[in-house]
Amino acid sequence: MVKVDIVRNQNSKISKIKVWHHAGSGDYGFDLVCAGVSAIMIGALNAFDQMSLPAKLTMDPSPLICIDWLGSDEGQEMMEIIYIQLKTIEEQYSNYIVIKEKEEIR
C-alpha cells in the first residue's frame, strides 16, 4: 500500500508531503496506482526544481519521495494541488493508498 503523510503547520498550510511504499494493485510495471502516484510526485519534483521554489526535495529508490516546503504562503497552491491529486487517487483506490494528515509539532 502506498503511504502518504501530509504535515500541516499551525496555520493549516502544508509543510511536508511524504510518499513511500508500493501499492501492490498490479504486477510490477503494470500497477496503475503506483504509476499515478509516481506521475504526480515526479511531476511535482520537476516543477519545484524548474521553478526554483524553496523546497527540500528527496527521492530515493526505496521508494520514497518527499517535499519539504521551506517558503512562505506563495507556493502553497502547488502543495494543495499535489494533495488534491493524491486524495483523488485515494478516493478511488482506498485499498492501495492511504493518506494520513498530521499537525506539525514545534
Side-chain angles (χ1 to χ4, degrees):
M1 175 175 285
V2 172
K3 298 181 181 196
V4 179
D5 281 348
I6 303 293
V7 180
R8 293 184 182 270
N9 64 23
Q10 52 273 45
N11 297 324
S12 296
K13 305 293 184 187
I14 298 174
S15 60
K16 178 186 248 179
I17 299 175
K18 178 181 174 186
V19 179
W20 72 103
H21 279 295
H22 289 285
S25 69
D27 293 335
Y28 183 78
F30 296 93
D31 189 323
L32 295 179
V33 175
C34 273
V37 171
S38 294
I40 291 166
M41 293 306 294
I42 291 170
L45 290 178
N46 288 336
F48 275 93
D49 187 50
Q50 293 264 328
M51 298 170 71
S52 299
L53 293 172
K56 178 183 174 198
L57 308 174
T58 305
M59 183 172 151
D60 72 39
S62 65
L64 166 78
I65 297 176
C66 188
I67 301 170
D68 287 294
W69 179 247
L70 305 174
S72 63
D73 291 345
E74 290 179 21
Q76 270 304 301
E77 289 178 15
M78 180 85 110
M79 297 294 274
E80 290 291 341
I81 288 167
I82 297 164
Y83 168 72
I84 290 166
Q85 290 175 323
L86 293 170
K87 200 72 177 152
T88 301
I89 292 177
E90 183 191 42
E91 289 170 6
Q92 295 297 313
Y93 299 98
S94 59
N95 290 335
Y96 303 105
I97 178 173
V98 63
I99 298 174
K100 292 184 181 177
E101 296 192 48
K102 303 175 179 186
E103 187 174 327
E104 189 173 66
I105 299 171
R106 289 203 173 201

